[in-house]
Amino acid sequence: MLSVNDRNIISGMVGAVMLATTLLVSIPETSQAAGIKFGNAIPGTMITKNVQSIRERRYENLVEQQTDFSCGAASVATILRYAYGQEGITELDVLDGMLDVADPEVVKARGFSLLDLKNYVESLGLRGRGYQVETETLDDVSIPVIVLLDLNGYKHFVIMKKTSGDRVYVGDPALGNRIMERDEFVASWNNIIFAIVGEGFNENTVLLKPRQPLTARKLTDVFAPVPKHRLLDFGFIHADLF
């Protein structure tokens, strides 16, 4: 457990960054999405079309990390919010909860660990399951999972939403939603996936329906709900699903 002093130091770091972020986002951005009205497209009618800014599209259905050590917390918050329906949960909520279960020496030296993520989700009544996956069976991962990538020496938690052919759809708390080439992903990945399993999982989660590239090749990517028998492969039990 963290000592009072350790917790105060780390909480102070999180609080300072979150305060700075709050002050920054309070400034109106010209890229903010809005509705566009089209008049007389059909005589006597007004059509309104909602649009997204580039930034909103980038972080669609994704909790953006607000500190340089909170990628794991943001990834967990994303899965809890968009796969388990915990709409109000924030990165700060997860950070605060992880501080209760973290090893202070690990946090000080390397940030939060995969064990901290596991201990936190289990404190919520869910289960954290880690699996070693061979590259050849990557396409068999049919639920959104958290993976640790080594990006030029920087260890970074992201969400692997789906793989399809030579593409891996990633929810990156720092860079936003993106598509990685399979070879690039595999070269950065340690062959471990971390699954959050338990009651309340949405088999139709939007995390399994990432936006596809605007090319004809996208027609080969078909995203469908996870069959219940596939969920059992990742640690779900019948009581979670039926």
Side-chain angles (χ1 to χ4, degrees), residues 217-230:
R217 294 170 60 198
K218 73 179 184 179
L219 298 177
T220 64
D221 292 341
V222 178
F223 298 106
V226 188
K228 286 185 170 59
H229 71 274
R230 294 297 302 275

Side-chain angles (χ1 to χ4, degrees), residues 60-72:
E60 182 180 39
N61 303 322
L62 179 64
V63 176
E64 181 181 0
Q65 72 181 80
Q66 302 298 334
T67 78
D68 60 358
F69 59 87
S70 59
C71 52

Side-chain angles (χ1 to χ4, degrees), residues 1-241:
M1 296 293 291
L2 289 167
S3 69
V4 173
N5 186 54
D6 290 331
R7 185 185 179 89
N8 287 340
I9 291 173
I10 298 172
S11 294
M13 293 167 59
V14 174
V17 174
M18 295 301 287
L19 175 59
T21 302
T22 300
L23 292 174
L24 286 172
V25 300
S26 65
I27 301 173
E29 295 185 4
T30 56
S31 61
Q32 183 68 32
I36 298 178
K37 294 183 178 180
F38 300 89
N40 295 321
I42 301 175
T45 65
M46 181 70 73
I47 299 175
T48 300
K49 175 66 175 178
N50 290 325
V51 297
Q52 285 182 309
S53 68
I54 294 175
R55 180 176 178 78
E56 285 175 320
R57 173 69 64 87
R58 182 182 302 148
Y59 290 97
E60 182 180 39
N61 303 322
L62 179 64
V63 176
E64 181 181 0
Q65 72 181 80
Q66 302 298 334
T67 78
D68 60 358
F69 59 87
S70 59
C71 52
S75 296
V76 170
T78 295
I79 290 182
L80 294 179
R81 184 184 295 183
Y82 296 108
Y84 282 90
Q86 299 186 26
E87 297 180 1
I89 197 161
T90 67
E91 176 196 59
L92 190 58
D93 294 329
V94 178
L95 280 172
D96 193 50
M98 287 171 62
L99 289 174
D100 288 330
V101 297
D103 181 328
E105 297 306 318
V106 173
V107 173
K108 287 179 180 178
R110 299 192 299 272
F112 291 103
S113 67
L114 196 59
L115 179 60
D116 298 328
L117 273 61
K118 172 181 170 64
N119 289 338
Y120 170 71
V121 299
E122 293 187 348
S123 75
L124 302 179
L126 298 169
R127 301 185 299 283
R129 294 288 184 266
Y131 300 97
Q132 184 166 356
V133 178
E134 297 301 324
T135 302
E136 296 75 17
T137 60
L138 190 58
D139 290 348
D140 294 334
V141 180
S142 54
I143 62 173
V145 295
I146 296 174
V147 298
L148 183 65
L149 300 183
D150 186 333
L151 304 176
N152 296 319
Y154 175 63
K155 299 299 196 320
H156 185 49
F157 286 114
V158 303
I159 297 168
M160 188 185 79
K161 299 179 179 181
K162 196 83 174 180
T163 62
S164 178
D166 61 355
R167 295 190 295 273
V168 180
Y169 294 81
V170 169
D172 187 324
L175 300 177
N177 293 303
R178 59 196 184 102
I179 301 172
M180 298 180 67
E181 292 294 326
R182 186 187 184 100
D183 290 344
E184 176 193 4
F185 178 87
V186 169
S188 304
W189 175 49
N190 62 0
N191 289 87
I192 301 295
I193 63 171
F194 177 72
I196 299 175
V197 303
E199 185 177 357
F201 178 77
N202 179 5
E203 298 159 39
N204 293 288
T205 171
V206 295
L207 298 180
L208 293 177
K209 304 171 185 177
R211 291 186 182 271
Q212 301 173 54
L214 299 176
T215 67
R217 294 170 60 198
K218 73 179 184 179
L219 298 177
T220 64
D221 292 341
V222 178
F223 298 106
V226 188
K228 286 185 170 59
H229 71 274
R230 294 297 302 275
L231 292 176
L232 298 175
D233 295 337
F234 291 93
F236 287 87
I237 59 177
H238 284 83
D240 297 326
L241 307 174

